[in-house]
Amino acid sequence: MGGIWSDTMGLINAFISGPHALKPDGENPAVVRTNVGVPAVGLLNQGTIQHVFNPELYEKEPFYFGAVGIQKDLVRGHCPSMFANDEEHRRKKALLVDVYEQCQLPTLILNQVMSHYQEWSRLEAVPDFEDRVYHVVSEALTEAVFGRKVDGRLCLTWLNGLLTNVKTWIPMLSMARQHRLASQALPKLFKAIEEAPKYEDLAQLCRTHDLEVEDGVFTILYATLFNACGAVTAALVSSVARLHTLSDTEKNDILQPTLQALEKNQGISGESLGEMKTLESFVLEVRKGERVFGSCFWAQRDGSVFPDPVRFRWDRFLDEEEGGGQKKHLLFPRGSWTETSDFNNHQCPGQDIAFFMMKAILAVLLCYCNWELAEAPVWSDNTIRLGRPDRPVSLTSFKFNSEQAKRVLGL
């Protein structure tokens, strides 16, 4: 199934049809031999993924997600942890664990949220809402990691140029432009990091894990701006859009326990976020050899483990069964949601931080903000949008009750 023409047609079909290219004409296979720009075997339900797909045994292709890869010049030739294998992966994973364990997030998140929400509320409209969400997330997390926030616009420009290395002869003019802009942003971005207060401490951590400093810094940079900030932004944008689809009663069922947890604990903390069970369930509902991939999209729609899988049910994950309940069936790109990250597996080392940020930012948004969407959101399973509606989310108005938020959050 390989070759320039079959790879090209597979890539085009994957872009147009998304995950439905794996299940044509209403078919429901558990395994499919396919071409998504490269020949691959797709595992499409919980059973085949659990039986066949052992993340401990696969070998990752450096720099690539199948047919799409990151531009090596934008990471100066250094392979990020998520694409690395064996000892290189273990060293880089250990570095990330140490870096993220030292992050102090609650105050930094609140400061960024307050600043950005106040700015949004002074605007007549927020047409670039998705970009602005990334700015909030990236500025909070870069300050936590590097000791000084890095301009979110600079971070986003670099991010937008990363995944523009496509295995195809088809000209990609828009991607070429994004790559060029990212190349121009990289020196400024790296200079900001080198001048940040925590840079020398991070450099020492790199050496401790037997990594060259530049290699280690790009490992941290990629994991922070791409893995963490990119994923959190997509989830937050999708959450705002999904709230539009809920009834007033359903919204209130999420809002009231969230507000009570904030007031009881006087702000954002691990304790207050841990008590926001309804908000947590809502967020979770939103998120060598042959190439083998497990389709998270279809595994999360497996009717044998998720009743009524296609319908959006914000309360699906409120169950507290022994063994993780419905949560244990959630699959993320590097393993199960309930799997603990360690040096030898491929689970995300910043998953807890990412989820903390999602809940904290969304909690303040839900409790103290009002907004209007420019248009009703529509989803047609376009995987390029990473769970967000087909069209970019923009706001015609945004109001933030900053005084009430300050009072409750103790600011």
Side-chain angles (χ1 to χ4, degrees), residues 40-261:
V41 174
L43 311 176
L44 306 183
N45 62 25
Q46 293 272 338
T48 55
I49 289 176
Q50 298 294 344
H51 182 69
V52 177
F53 194 72
N54 184 347
E56 303 309 311
L57 300 179
Y58 64 60
E59 181 177 348
K60 294 174 286 186
E61 181 179 8
F63 300 100
Y64 274 93
F65 298 101
V68 180
I70 64 172
Q71 295 286 0
K72 293 183 182 180
D73 62 308
L74 295 182
V75 289
R76 295 182 182 170
H78 301 292
C79 186
S81 172
M82 72 177 299
F83 300 107
N85 294 290
D86 304 322
E87 184 59 31
E88 180 186 9
H89 172 263
R90 283 187 283 273
R91 293 199 308 271
K92 292 182 175 180
K93 180 75 170 287
L95 169 66
L96 292 174
V97 169
D98 282 353
V99 169
Y100 293 137
E101 281 182 347
Q102 297 176 14
C103 290
Q104 300 296 319
L105 278 173
T107 301
L108 296 177
I109 290 178
L110 283 179
N111 289 340
Q112 290 301 326
V113 165
M114 294 294 292
S115 174
H116 283 272
Y117 287 4
Q118 286 172 336
E119 179 184 347
W120 298 358
S121 65
R122 291 191 290 268
L123 301 174
E124 204 169 295
V126 191
D128 55 346
F129 174 70
E130 295 192 0
D131 289 354
R132 288 178 178 271
V133 173
Y134 186 87
H135 298 165
V136 177
V137 177
S138 62
E139 290 184 5
L141 195 50
T142 52
E143 185 171 0
V145 171
F146 300 113
R148 178 185 301 150
K149 74 174 183 180
V150 180
D151 189 328
R153 294 167 296 183
L154 192 63
C155 295
L156 186 57
T157 300
W158 180 76
L159 175 74
N160 285 339
L162 269 180
L163 282 180
T164 56
N165 186 11
V166 184
K167 295 179 179 179
T168 182
W169 54 268
I170 301 173
M172 301 282 188
L173 298 182
S174 63
M175 287 188 173
R177 179 177 181 274
Q178 289 175 319
H179 180 206
R180 184 175 66 255
L181 293 174
S183 298
Q184 295 168 357
L186 178 57
K188 301 175 187 176
L189 179 61
F190 205 81
K191 185 173 185 292
I193 292 170
E194 288 178 316
E195 294 176 349
K198 288 187 177 182
Y199 178 79
E200 290 303 327
D201 291 339
L202 292 173
Q204 184 55 49
L205 264 182
C206 294
R207 299 185 191 100
T208 298
H209 291 287
D210 198 23
L211 293 168
E212 295 180 6
V213 172
E214 186 178 86
D215 190 13
V217 170
F218 271 103
T219 293
I220 299 167
L221 186 64
Y222 183 90
T224 300
L225 298 188
F226 181 88
N227 295 129
C229 296
V232 171
T233 297
L236 289 171
V237 170
S238 188
S239 295
V240 169
R242 282 293 181 185
L243 283 168
H244 182 83
T245 69
L246 302 184
S247 67
D248 290 341
T249 299
E250 289 174 316
K251 291 177 187 176
N252 197 54
D253 286 343
I254 301 172
L255 170 62
Q256 290 306 318
T258 303
L259 188 57
Q260 289 167 10

Side-chain angles (χ1 to χ4, degrees), residues 19-30 32 44-45 298 301:
H20 295 282
L22 304 175
K23 291 188 175 185
D25 303 322
E27 297 176 12
N28 193 35
V32 61
L44 306 183
N45 62 25
W298 287 116
R301 289 159 177 76

